[in-house]
Amino acid sequence: MKRITTFAFTFLLCALQMLAQIPTGNSRDSISINDIMFGYIYSYDQIKKALGAPTQIYTWEATDFGQGHEFRYENDLTIRMNDDPRENDPGIIEFILKSPKYTISFEGTELKVGDSFEKIKKMPGYTSREMRYDGFYSIIFNNNMHDHSLQILFSKDEIIECISVAPRYY
């Protein structure tokens, strides 16, 4: 009887795990869009429920395990994800916002395209910004380089035109 109970309990736990998002070592509860959190592995149905159906989906073989996925929502939002926890960077590995249609929660602050640079400067721990590439600035918090990066493209008037959140390796 113990074996049957143990088997049934194990089967139930496995079924529940398959239905839930999977946190990975890259998970950040402080970064999300519509409850889709950075670093977590999601099913297509979970992403569709939270953000609607993407207009384009690209899938490719990841470097060692699983597959990489890119979900595009018109020219407003792009999400990139690796779907295997054994991958070097599992889960959601990048958010790119190009429209005020979506809002990203980053370290407790809601940011969207169209906000001013002043809003970023008021974020807790903001220290500076550093020019990186193609006009994007990396935002530095508490004078530290973090393993995730908030990169912003500003207009000449210091208005946010694009927001990118992805791991930083430098």
Side-chain angles (χ1 to χ4, degrees):
M1 186 66 179
K2 284 185 179 180
R3 286 184 183 179
I4 293 172
T5 304
T6 302
F7 177 76
F9 182 73
T10 303
F11 181 78
L12 177 65
L13 281 178
C14 290
L16 289 174
Q17 181 65 26
M18 301 237 344
L19 296 173
Q21 72 266 14
I22 302 169
T24 69
N26 199 28
S27 300
R28 303 285 185 275
D29 291 338
S30 59
I31 304 171
S32 65
I33 296 175
N34 290 17
D35 296 326
I36 298 294
M37 294 183 286
F38 189 84
Y40 283 75
I41 297 172
Y42 291 91
S43 70
Y44 170 75
D45 289 335
Q46 289 170 313
I47 289 174
K48 184 178 172 185
K49 181 179 178 185
L51 299 168
T55 53
Q56 296 176 331
I57 300 174
Y58 300 101
T59 301
W60 62 92
E61 292 299 317
T63 54
D64 293 321
F65 306 101
Q67 293 184 322
H69 305 278
E70 181 177 280
F71 303 98
R72 288 191 181 193
Y73 294 83
E74 298 294 334
N75 198 27
D76 300 327
L77 171 67
T78 301
I79 297 175
R80 294 189 179 118
M81 178 182 79
N82 289 321
D83 68 1
D84 193 308
R86 298 171 295 173
E87 183 58 61
N88 290 335
D89 267 322
I92 301 288
I93 58 172
E94 188 168 19
F95 290 124
I96 302 170
L97 287 80
K98 295 182 180 178
S99 153
K101 186 176 178 181
Y102 296 95
T103 301
I104 189 166
S105 174
F106 187 90
E107 304 293 338
T109 301
E110 300 287 321
L111 288 176
K112 65 181 177 180
V113 171
D115 286 341
S116 73
F117 177 54
E118 293 301 315
K119 188 167 186 177
I120 293 172
K121 288 181 7 182
K122 292 177 184 176
M123 291 175 69
Y126 170 81
T127 303
S128 62
R129 66 180 182 178
E130 294 180 6
M131 175 65 106
R132 291 295 175 202
Y133 60 91
D134 296 334
F136 277 87
Y137 287 86
S138 282
I139 307 302
I140 309 300
F141 295 97
N142 298 319
N143 262 341
N144 292 318
M145 300 297 271
H146 292 280
D147 60 340
H148 57 82
S149 176
L150 176 62
Q151 296 198 23
I152 306 287
L153 178 65
F154 295 102
S155 70
K156 291 178 184 176
D157 299 333
E158 299 287 300
I159 302 299
I160 297 172
E161 292 183 343
C162 183
I163 301 170
S164 173
V165 179
R168 179 168 51 200
Y169 300 108
Y170 49 85

